[in-house]
């Protein structure tokens, strides 16, 4: 890999590029996998424990902020951390972010009130955003372009493992130990990640002090926070046309426009604007946005079908999502090996959009009588579709971006997926609520409809105490209301499919370390 950075005012200059043995590279990579597990496990494990947390600390009116505070902080920090990694070196950014994350985890576990917990979740999110940004970029530094797809595939497998194991672990801790362990469990995992990277990653030193774009960082983080808040609240907490949502979207646009104007003159812009002149960067961000919006956005609605229309318990509905996670892991590992062997990646995002679109259409055909095997197969296809592109777009962006901008480019495409997930939940929730207003009168009698709780808090525990006519009516109403949700996702995926066809057919180089027991530069890791 090239080690030279472009020399200009404020640019960093490497003093030396140390080498690493194959064993050192793999030990660092295992440390990154532990970091990935720690950062991704947090959201899924905490969600299961929230009811227990509220029972202990109170603050039911602020329950949504337990998750939102973490997501907002992570979203705002990720692009900034990617750029700081380019400027200061990814090793110090990774280690500092890990310390912040672990400090936030320990504080969350010791929180004595809901207010304290929310504040400490922000601290956790700041660390989590930095960890994820540095981790993906470091994987790009450690391996040659072809090998990156294979190792990014392993990272996707860890993500799927955390999605499966998180809810189970959260329930276990809440039932048999204490909810505080959903945060304390991060401490040993993070300590392993920190130690492996600190000891074995050999980084470069820089002889010039970088010029940090503080104004750009402030404007970008403010715009992203407003945008993510609007995406999370629109159609769920507030109506799309409410003053709050309109104000957030307006504020986000104003801040992001100001950010663009500032970045045009900045010596070291947070996200270099020249990246947007590369079609690979633009298309991969669009594909990532669509994949997050449809693949991970739909995950929030599949349990509704399984619990209300299919009659599964809350625990079983989580287990019934396993086919999707298995599909994601199988596709991620398979794609990683194929790209490493051939060096070509173009057709995997295309296939991802096509398979996901077919899966979304098939999901839209489900009704209350659809069998578990059939719905499981549809979810498996959805997982395969997600796995076909999840790591490929990261590899493509890293290959297209100049080495000095790899951190900023990587964190941008990762953020696009997170933003897509937020918008997906809001858009699909709006469609679902609108359709339920039409379907419930069709399938429920006036007497059964009068039994529905205010606020729509319908779950398996409430349903099992209701008359059979109400349960059957709700099963049909939800199945038919969810159908346009999945159909909308299929239409969005068709747009992603069309865009992915314009990806350049690039052959990845096999330079640097390619799997042999040789030495490799840890480029930009300093």
């Amino acid at each position: 890999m090239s080690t030279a950075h472009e020399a200009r005012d404020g640019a960093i200059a490497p003093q030396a590029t140390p080498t690493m043995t194959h064993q050192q590279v793999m030990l660092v990579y295992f440390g990154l996998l532990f970091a990935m597990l720690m950062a991704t496990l947090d959201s899924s494990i905490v969600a299961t424990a929230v009811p227990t947390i509220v029972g202990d600390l109170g603050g039911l009116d602020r329950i949504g902020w337990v998750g939102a505070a973490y997501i907002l902080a992570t979203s705002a920090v990720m692009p900034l951390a990617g750029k700081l990694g380019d400027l200061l070196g990814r090793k110090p950014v990774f280690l500092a972010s890990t310390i912040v994350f672990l400090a936030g985890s320990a504080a969350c576990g010791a929180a004595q009130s809901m207010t304290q917990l929310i504040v400490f979740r922000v601290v956790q999110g700041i660390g989590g955003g930095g960890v994820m940004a540095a981790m993906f970029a470091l994987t790009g530094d450690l391996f040659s372009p072809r090998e990156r797809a294979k190792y990014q595939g392993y990272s996707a497998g860890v993500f799927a493992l955390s999605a499966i194991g998180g809810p189970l672990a959260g329930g276990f801790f809440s039932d048999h130990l204490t909810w505080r362990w959903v945060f304390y469990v991060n401490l040993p995992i993070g300590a392993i990640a920190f130690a492996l990277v600190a000891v074995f990653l050999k980084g470069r030193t820089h002889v010039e002090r970088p010029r940090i774009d503080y104004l750009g960082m402030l404007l970008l983080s403010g715009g992203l926070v407003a945008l993510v808040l609007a995406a999370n609240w629109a159609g769920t907490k507030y109506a799309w046309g409410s003053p709050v949502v309109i104000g957030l979207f307006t504020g986000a646009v104003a801040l992001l426009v100001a950010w663009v104007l500032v970045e045009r003159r900045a010596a070291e812009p947070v996200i270099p604007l020249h990246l947007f002149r590369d079609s690979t960067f633009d298309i991969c961000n669009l594909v990532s946005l669509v994949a997050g919006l449809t693949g991970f956005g739909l995950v929030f609605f599949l349990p509704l079908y399984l619990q209300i229309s299919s009659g599964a318990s809350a625990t079983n509905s989580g287990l019934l999502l396993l086919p999707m996670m298995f599909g994601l892991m199988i596709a991620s590992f398979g794609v990683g090996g194929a790209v490493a062997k051939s060096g070509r990646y173009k057709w995997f995002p295309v296939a991802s959009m096509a398979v996901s679109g077919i899966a979304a259409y098939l999901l839209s055909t489900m009704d209350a009588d659809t069998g578990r095997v059939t719905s499981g197969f549809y979810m498996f296809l959805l997982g395969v579709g997600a796995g076909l592109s999840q790591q490929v777009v990261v590899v493509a962006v890293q290959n297209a971006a100049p080495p000095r901008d790899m951190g900023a480019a990587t964190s941008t495409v990762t953020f696009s997926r997170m933003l897509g997930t937020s918008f997906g939940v809001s858009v699909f929730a709006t469609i679902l609520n609108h359709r339920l207003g039409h379907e419930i009168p069709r399938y429920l009698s006036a007497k059964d409809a009068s039994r529905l709780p205010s606020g729509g808090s319908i779950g398996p525990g409430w349903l099992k105490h209701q008359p059979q006519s109400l349960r059957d009516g709700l099963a049909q109403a939800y199945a038919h209301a969810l159908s346009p949700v999945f159909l909308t996702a299929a239409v969005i995926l068709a747009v992603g499919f069309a865009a992915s066809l314009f990806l350049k057919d690039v052959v990845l180089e096999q330079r640097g370390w390619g799997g042999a027991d040789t030495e490799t530069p840890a480029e930009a890791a300093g």
Side-chain angles (χ1 to χ4, degrees):
M1 292 184 181
S2 172
T3 61
H5 279 227
E6 299 154 15
R8 58 175 177 161
D9 291 342
I12 55 177
Q15 188 176 41
T17 302
T19 57
M20 294 170 60
T21 66
H22 172 70
Q23 183 181 31
Q24 289 173 325
V25 168
M26 296 313 298
L27 286 170
V28 171
Y29 180 67
F30 282 128
L32 299 181
L33 290 183
F34 275 103
M36 177 76 171
L37 178 64
M38 175 184 71
T40 57
L41 186 67
D42 191 79
S43 297
S44 58
I45 196 174
V46 171
T48 312
V50 163
T52 307
I53 294 173
V54 172
D56 187 13
L57 300 181
L60 180 62
D61 57 324
R62 287 167 287 164
I63 186 173
W65 281 103
V66 175
Y70 181 83
I71 293 172
L72 281 173
T74 301
S75 301
V77 165
M78 189 177 292
L80 312 185
K83 182 60 181 181
L84 287 176
D86 290 335
L87 291 174
L88 306 176
R90 284 182 262 285
K91 181 176 181 178
V93 170
F94 176 86
L95 295 179
S97 298
T98 302
I99 291 173
V100 172
F101 184 89
L102 294 180
S105 297
C108 285
Q112 300 300 309
S113 69
M114 185 61 74
T115 299
Q116 288 183 8
L117 179 61
I118 292 170
V119 170
F120 297 145
R121 286 286 280 168
V122 172
V123 176
Q124 230 190 346
I126 292 172
V131 166
M132 285 191 282
M135 181 203 66
F136 283 117
L138 276 170
T139 303
D141 291 334
L142 291 173
F143 304 107
S144 69
R146 287 197 185 189
E147 293 291 336
R148 287 173 196 163
K150 180 170 66 175
Y151 289 98
Q152 297 284 14
Y154 297 151
S155 300
V158 171
F159 169 82
L161 177 65
S162 68
I164 295 169
L168 300 177
F172 175 82
F173 290 143
S174 298
D175 292 339
H176 301 288
L177 296 173
T178 170
W179 63 264
R180 298 182 186 277
W181 272 99
V182 304
F183 299 107
Y184 291 150
V185 72
N186 292 324
L187 302 182
I189 299 174
I192 294 172
F194 184 93
L196 289 173
V197 174
V199 173
F200 295 107
L201 178 60
K202 307 301 179 183
R204 297 182 299 172
T205 57
H206 303 289
V207 298
E208 291 187 25
R209 185 174 182 176
R211 295 173 62 179
I212 298 175
D213 178 21
Y214 294 106
L215 180 57
M217 289 184 173
L218 181 64
L219 291 171
L220 179 61
S221 59
L224 295 182
V225 166
L227 189 59
V228 173
L229 266 180
N232 276 275
W233 283 354
T236 53
K237 187 177 178 65
Y238 300 101
W240 282 87
S242 68
V244 172
V245 172
I246 292 176
L248 285 170
F249 276 123
T250 302
V253 171
L255 288 169
L256 293 176
V257 168
W259 168 73
V260 170
L261 296 176
V262 168
E263 297 305 88
R264 294 177 66 180
R265 299 184 178 183
E268 288 290 345
V270 183
I271 302 176
L273 298 182
H274 66 79
L275 290 175
F276 293 97
R277 293 196 290 269
D278 189 307
S279 63
T280 298
F281 181 81
D282 297 335
I283 293 171
C284 285
N285 273 283
L286 177 59
V287 169
S288 188
L289 181 76
V290 169
L293 195 152
T294 55
F296 299 107
L298 290 179
V299 169
F300 290 85
F301 297 89
L302 287 170
L304 277 178
Y305 169 80
L306 293 170
Q307 292 176 27
I308 298 176
S309 293
S310 184
S313 67
T315 301
N316 286 340
S317 68
L319 294 175
L320 290 171
L321 290 174
L322 288 179
M324 179 178 176
M325 298 307 168
F326 284 138
L328 189 151
M329 284 195 292
I330 291 171
S332 296
F333 293 154
V335 168
V339 173
K341 183 177 181 179
S342 68
R344 295 185 180 276
Y345 60 79
K346 169 177 178 171
W347 296 108
F348 291 110
V350 175
S352 170
M353 297 292 99
V355 173
S356 296
I358 292 170
Y361 172 75
L362 291 173
L363 288 168
S364 74
T365 66
M366 295 190 304
D367 56 28
D369 299 318
T370 302
R372 296 282 172 79
V373 174
T374 301
S375 62
F377 174 69
Y378 296 165
M379 287 185 279
F380 174 79
L381 281 182
L382 190 66
V384 169
L388 287 171
S389 68
Q390 183 167 347
Q391 80 275 22
V392 174
V393 292
V394 175
V395 173
V397 162
Q398 289 179 338
N399 188 66
R404 70 184 317 277
D405 295 326
M406 186 185 292
T410 303
S411 60
T412 302
V413 76
T414 305
F415 171 77
S416 294
R417 182 180 293 112
M418 294 180 61
L419 185 63
T421 302
S422 297
F423 271 108
V425 173
S426 297
V427 170
F428 297 148
T430 300
I431 295 172
L432 175 63
N433 291 331
H434 175 73
R435 291 307 309 167
L436 280 175
H438 294 277
E439 301 296 342
I440 285 179
R442 287 181 58 193
Y443 292 100
L444 267 69
S445 65
K447 180 179 179 180
D448 283 338
S450 67
R451 295 175 177 267
L452 297 178
S454 59
S457 53
I458 299 171
W462 178 85
L463 273 176
K464 68 180 180 180
H465 298 296
Q466 303 306 313
Q468 189 64 42
S469 61
L470 188 149
R471 282 184 282 171
D472 291 343
L474 272 183
Q476 294 291 348
Y478 267 81
H480 285 83
L482 283 167
S483 180
V485 168
F486 298 125
L487 200 56
T488 301
V491 173
I492 295 171
L493 284 159
V495 176
F497 173 81
S500 64
L501 290 172
F502 291 93
L503 264 178
K504 297 176 182 176
D505 191 10
V506 177
V507 179
L508 299 175
E509 297 180 30
Q510 192 158 3
R511 47 189 166 82
W513 183 77
D517 190 11
T518 57
E519 293 188 333
T520 177
E523 185 170 323

